[in-house]
Amino acid sequence: LQATEPVNILLVDDQPAKLLSFEVILGELGENLIKAASAQEALAQLLRHEIAVVLIDVQMPDLDGFELAAMIREHPRFRDVALIFVSAIHLSDLDRIRGYEAGGVDYVPVPVVPEVLRAKVRVFADLRRKTRELERLNAELEQRVAERTADLEASRAALQELNSELEARIDQRTREREQALAQLFEAQKVDTIGKLTGGVAHDFNNLLMAMLGSLELLKKRMVGDASAQRLIDNALKGAERGAALTQRLLAFARRQQLRPEPINVAELVGGMRDLIARSVGPSIDIAEDFGSPLAPVLADANQLELALMNLALNARDAMPDGGTLTISAQEAMVEGGSDLGLAPGRYIRLSVADTGVGMDEATRARAAEPFFTTKGTGKGTGLGLSMVHGLAAQSGGSLRIESRLGEGTRIDLFLPKAERSRARRIRDSAQTTFDLAGRAVILLVDDDALVSDGTAAMLEDLGHEVIEASSAAAALSLLDASPDVDLVITDYAMPGMTGIEFAKLVRDRYPTLPIVLATGYAELPPGLGEGLDLPRLSKPFLQRDLANIIARQRRPADQAEAGRLKTSAC
Ligand SMILES: Nc1ncnc2c1ncn2[C@@H]1O[C@H](COP(=O)(O)OP(=O)(O)OP(=O)(O)O)[C@@H](O)[C@H]1O
Ligand SMILES: [Mg+2]
C-alpha cells in the first residue's frame, strides 16, 4: 500500500438514504467506499476486504452498532481497524464510554457535519496508510538485515574455511620443516662421523703402511726360520685385516681412492656369480634380472664388487633358513626433489633383494650408520652398508634401503650412467711414458718419517736408489741439485704444500719426469689434479704394488691399464 493508494472504508447503516449521504460526503476523499446495510453484511465485507475504517450507525434493527464493534474487536485480524460511530440520538456520556470500551475510536453526532466526518475519516485513512508504509519499510529493513546477516554468515564461513586452510598449510610447512631439519641433522651426524672415521682411518693407514712394509722386508730376511716366518705371517695377516677395515672406513667416509670406469653391471655380476654362490651357500637360490641391455655405469669396479659382496653377505645373514637372493638392474629416472638426494636425471638402479627376516623401521633407519650392527660383538662390524653407502655417494649415486619385517629387504644402489667422453678420458689417463731401465733414482717425498722410512726400505730392497725429502720445498731444492732423478713418489697430504701443488711445480720444471701420487684417501677436490694425470698409489701398499707402479712408468701408456693396482678387499 503506497502513500497515495486509496484505503477501504466500510459504511454500515440500515438506511440506504443515510448510506448514500455518507457516500456523497466521503466521495471526495478518493478512498474506496464499501457499503453494508446490516451487521452481517458488514462482517462479510470485513472478511472479504482489508478495511481501514468502519463507519457504524449505532442503531440498526438486528444488531446495534456497539455489538457490531465488539464483534469486530474480538476478531484478532480486525484489531487495528478504526471504528467511527455515527449516532442520530443524543448520546449520554455513558454511551460514549461504552463505545470506547467496545473498541470504538471516535464519534460523529447526527446531524453529521460533512467537514467533521471527512476530517475524522481522513485522519484514520492516512493513519492506516502510514502504518502500512511503516510496516512495509520495516519488512524491507528486516529483509535487508536478513540479507546482510546471510552475507555476513557466508563471509564468516569463507573466512573460517580460509582459516582452516591456512592452518593446514602451516601444519604442512611445519611438518616439512621438521622433516628437513631431521634430514639435515642426520646428514650432519653422518658427516661428522665420516670426518672422524676418515681421519682415524687415514692415520691408521699410515701406521699399517709402516707395519706392512717392515714385515714384508723382515719376512725376506728371515727366510729359513720357520717359526719366525709363522709369526711374521700372522702379523702380516693382522695388518692386512686392519688395512681392509680402514678401507671400509675410508669408503664410508667417501675418502677412498676410486678409479671410476664404465662398467657393464650384468657382466660384473656374471663374473662374481660363483663367488657369491659359494659365499651364500646352497640353501639360497640366486636369481638375476638385467632385462634389456643396460647402459654402463661409471664406478670403481673393485669397489662395486666389494659392495655387492657385502650386500650378498647381509642377505645371507638375513636368510638363515634359505630363500632367494635377487640381483637386478634397470634404468631409473630420478625426478627433482626425490629423497635420494640425487641430481635429476637417468641412473642405473642396481638392486640386491632377499626374502629374509627384514628390518623394523628403527633398524632400517640406522642400518647404514657406521658400526651399527645387530649381529652381536665379534660377528659384524656394522661397516658393510656404511661402505656401500659411502661408495654410492662418492660415485655420484645414492643408496636406498627398503625393508619390511618378516618379508625381506631390497637395497637399491643408484649409480650414474657413464658418459662417453668421460669414459674415454679415464682410459686416456695414466699417460706418462718413460723409459726406465733397471735401477732408478727415486725421490721420495713424505712428511711422515715412519712411512717414508718404510717405503724407502721397500724401494731399496727392489734395487733402487732413494732420496728422501720430508717436505715439498725440500724436495724441490733436492731436484734442482740432483738432475739424475728418474721418478718422484710424493705423498698428498703434507703441511705447507700438497702433493698436487708440488707435482704441478715439478711438471712445469721437468715435464718428462714421472710423478706418482701416494694417498691414503681421495682427499683431492674433484677436478683438481686430474689435468696432471698422475698415477696413484693407494696406501697402504705392498712392495709389489710399488714394483708394479714403477714398472708401469716404463711401459707405453696403452699397456698401462693391464696392471690394475691392488685395492684391498674385506
Ligand atoms: N639384507 C638385510 N636384511 C635384514 N637386515 C639387514 C640386511 N642388511 C643389513 N641389515 C641390518 O643392518 C645392520 C647393518 O648392516 P651392515 O652390513 O652395515 O653391518 P653388519 O652386516 O652387521 O656387519 P658387517 O657387514 O661388518 O659384517 C645389520 O646388522 C642388520 O641388522
Ligand atoms: Mg654386513
Side-chain angles (χ1 to χ4, degrees):
L1 208 70
Q2 293 298 311
T4 52
E5 241 175 85
V7 297
N8 293 324
I9 296 172
L10 181 62
L11 311 174
V12 190
D13 203 311
D14 55 344
Q15 294 172 44
K18 272 161 75 185
L19 276 178
L20 199 63
S21 73
F22 291 150
E23 211 176 353
V24 172
I25 294 169
L26 298 175
E28 64 184 67
L29 287 179
E31 315 289 2
N32 289 333
L33 302 176
I34 299 164
K35 291 174 284 184
S38 67
Q40 280 89 341
E41 214 180 302
L43 284 170
Q45 293 290 11
L46 271 163
L47 287 169
R48 204 174 303 142
H49 306 280
E50 195 209 329
I51 306 290
V53 185
V54 185
L55 199 66
I56 302 171
D57 189 351
V58 177
Q59 265 148 3
M60 285 175 285
D62 47 352
L63 190 71
D64 96 355
F66 294 127
E67 282 169 38
L68 173 62
M71 282 174 63
I72 291 172
R73 276 290 178 262
E74 261 168 33
H75 207 298
R77 214 179 107 187
F78 308 141
R79 279 281 151 78
D80 56 351
V81 172
L83 303 174
I84 300 176
F85 297 108
V86 181
S87 183
I89 50 167
H90 181 72
L91 287 167
S92 66
D93 287 343
L94 194 74
D95 281 335
R96 210 181 270 268
I97 289 161
R98 204 182 146 210
Y100 283 117
E101 271 177 354
V105 192
D106 215 339
Y107 259 98
V108 177
V110 172
V112 171
V113 180
E115 285 76 17
V116 173
L117 181 61
R118 264 201 301 273
K120 287 185 190 263
V121 170
R122 183 184 291 125
V123 166
F124 290 114
D126 286 349
L127 187 65
R128 165 57 61 100
R129 261 192 294 272
K130 294 238 161 72
T131 310
R132 283 284 172 272
E133 178 68 5
L134 269 177
E135 278 170 1
R136 191 183 61 78
L137 283 175
N138 201 32
E140 217 176 84
L141 204 68
E142 269 175 20
Q143 167 74 16
R144 269 159 61 188
V145 167
E147 276 170 18
R148 288 294 291 275
T149 312
D151 281 358
L152 275 172
E153 181 56 37
S155 50
R156 197 189 63 84
L159 206 70
Q160 204 167 30
E161 195 175 314
L162 217 69
N163 202 31
S164 47
E165 212 172 88
L166 203 71
E167 270 174 19
R169 267 159 59 187
I170 289 174
D171 279 358
Q172 169 75 5
R173 289 297 291 273
T174 312
R175 261 199 310 280
E176 282 172 7
R177 217 182 109 81
E178 277 169 0
Q179 258 170 16
L181 277 177
Q183 269 172 14
L184 186 70
F185 177 74
E186 194 56 34
Q188 280 172 343
K189 189 175 78 179
V190 171
D191 191 47
T192 308
I193 303 177
K195 281 201 182 106
L196 193 73
T197 48
V200 171
H202 178 239
D203 287 351
F204 262 91
N205 228 11
N206 278 346
L207 300 178
L208 289 165
M209 268 265 6
M211 284 164 64
L212 280 170
S214 304
L215 286 169
E216 263 197 317
L217 293 182
L218 202 61
K219 192 171 148 110
K220 279 191 182 170
R221 287 185 199 167
M222 305 286 264
V223 179
D225 184 339
S227 74
Q229 287 287 328
R230 235 193 350 269
L231 290 174
I232 294 171
D233 279 344
N234 216 15
L236 270 172
K237 248 184 237 148
E240 267 163 12
R241 261 169 65 181
L245 203 66
T246 56
Q247 280 310 311
R248 290 174 112 187
L249 284 172
L250 288 171
F252 162 69
R254 298 169 210 174
R255 288 164 95 174
Q256 63 181 336
Q257 202 181 319
L258 295 182
R259 295 179 173 278
E261 57 184 322
I263 299 169
N264 177 330
V265 285
E267 271 175 22
L268 182 120
V269 172
M272 299 175 67
R273 198 174 290 132
D274 291 345
L275 184 63
I276 293 178
R278 247 181 291 124
S279 308
V280 299
S283 63
I284 291 172
D285 294 326
I286 299 175
E288 281 174 30
D289 180 9
F290 293 104
S292 48
L294 282 178
V297 300
L298 188 66
D300 182 308
N302 284 338
Q303 295 300 310
L304 188 57
E305 280 180 356
L306 208 57
L308 279 171
M309 204 58 211
N310 273 317
L311 295 179
L313 292 179
N314 278 352
R316 176 201 64 191
D317 293 346
M319 298 186 286
D321 304 324
T324 306
L325 169 72
T326 309
I327 305 178
S328 59
Q330 65 191 101
E331 226 173 84
M333 185 72 203
V334 172
E335 311 274 345
S338 86
D339 55 3
L340 288 164
L342 288 177
R346 297 196 163 277
Y347 291 78
I348 301 292
R349 194 186 74 195
L350 179 58
S351 309
V352 176
D354 63 59
T355 55
V357 295
M359 292 176 248
D360 58 21
E361 182 47 33
T363 306
R364 194 201 63 81
R366 297 193 57 195
E369 259 180 40
F371 308 114
F372 176 83
T373 177
T374 57
K375 295 179 184 169
T377 29
K379 292 208 179 112
T381 62
L383 284 173
L385 278 178
S386 323
M387 173 265 158
V388 181
H389 175 254
L391 172 68
Q394 202 184 336
S395 307
S398 184
L399 174 80
R400 183 169 66 190
I401 304 173
E402 275 175 17
S403 189
R404 202 167 298 169
L405 208 57
E407 288 180 23
T409 301
R410 198 183 80 214
I411 313 280
D412 293 326
L413 259 174
F414 289 83
L415 293 169
K417 287 178 27 174
E419 290 155 25
R420 282 178 207 297
S421 57
R422 186 81 196 269
R424 192 159 60 242
R425 217 177 62 219
I426 283 156
R427 223 175 295 124
D428 289 349
S429 68
Q431 191 69 272
T432 329
T433 57
F434 178 74
D435 192 26
L436 199 73
R439 184 182 139 93
V441 179
I442 297 172
L443 175 62
L444 183 64
V445 194
D446 201 311
D447 61 311
D448 190 329
L450 202 60
V451 175
S452 187
D453 290 348
T455 311
M458 287 198 268
L459 288 170
E460 277 161 6
D461 189 66
L462 287 172
H464 302 297
E465 186 186 321
V466 182
I467 306 171
E468 286 184 62
S470 63
S471 72
L476 280 174
S477 40
L478 275 169
L479 259 184
D480 291 340
S482 349
D484 56 343
V485 168
D486 297 311
L487 174 74
V488 177
I489 299 179
T490 177
D491 183 27
Y492 169 70
M494 292 184 293
M497 195 188 292
T498 68
I500 290 281
E501 288 163 345
F502 168 66
K504 272 190 185 144
L505 289 178
V506 174
R507 188 52 58 83
D508 281 349
R509 290 188 208 179
Y510 310 96
T512 55
L513 181 60
I515 309 166
V516 171
L517 192 68
T519 61
Y521 52 75
E523 309 134 303
L524 314 182
L528 214 170
E530 276 184 22
L532 287 174
D533 281 337
L534 296 180
R536 291 195 195 167
L537 196 54
S538 235
K539 283 190 197 173
F541 46 82
L542 298 174
Q543 193 177 33
R544 69 162 180 279
D545 301 324
L546 264 178
N548 277 342
I549 205 155
I550 292 170
R552 251 173 66 180
Q553 304 316 306
R554 306 169 191 251
R555 274 188 241 157
D558 52 355
Q559 284 171 28
E561 264 208 309
R564 191 194 275 145
L565 284 184
K566 167 202 174 268
T567 323
S568 50
C570 302

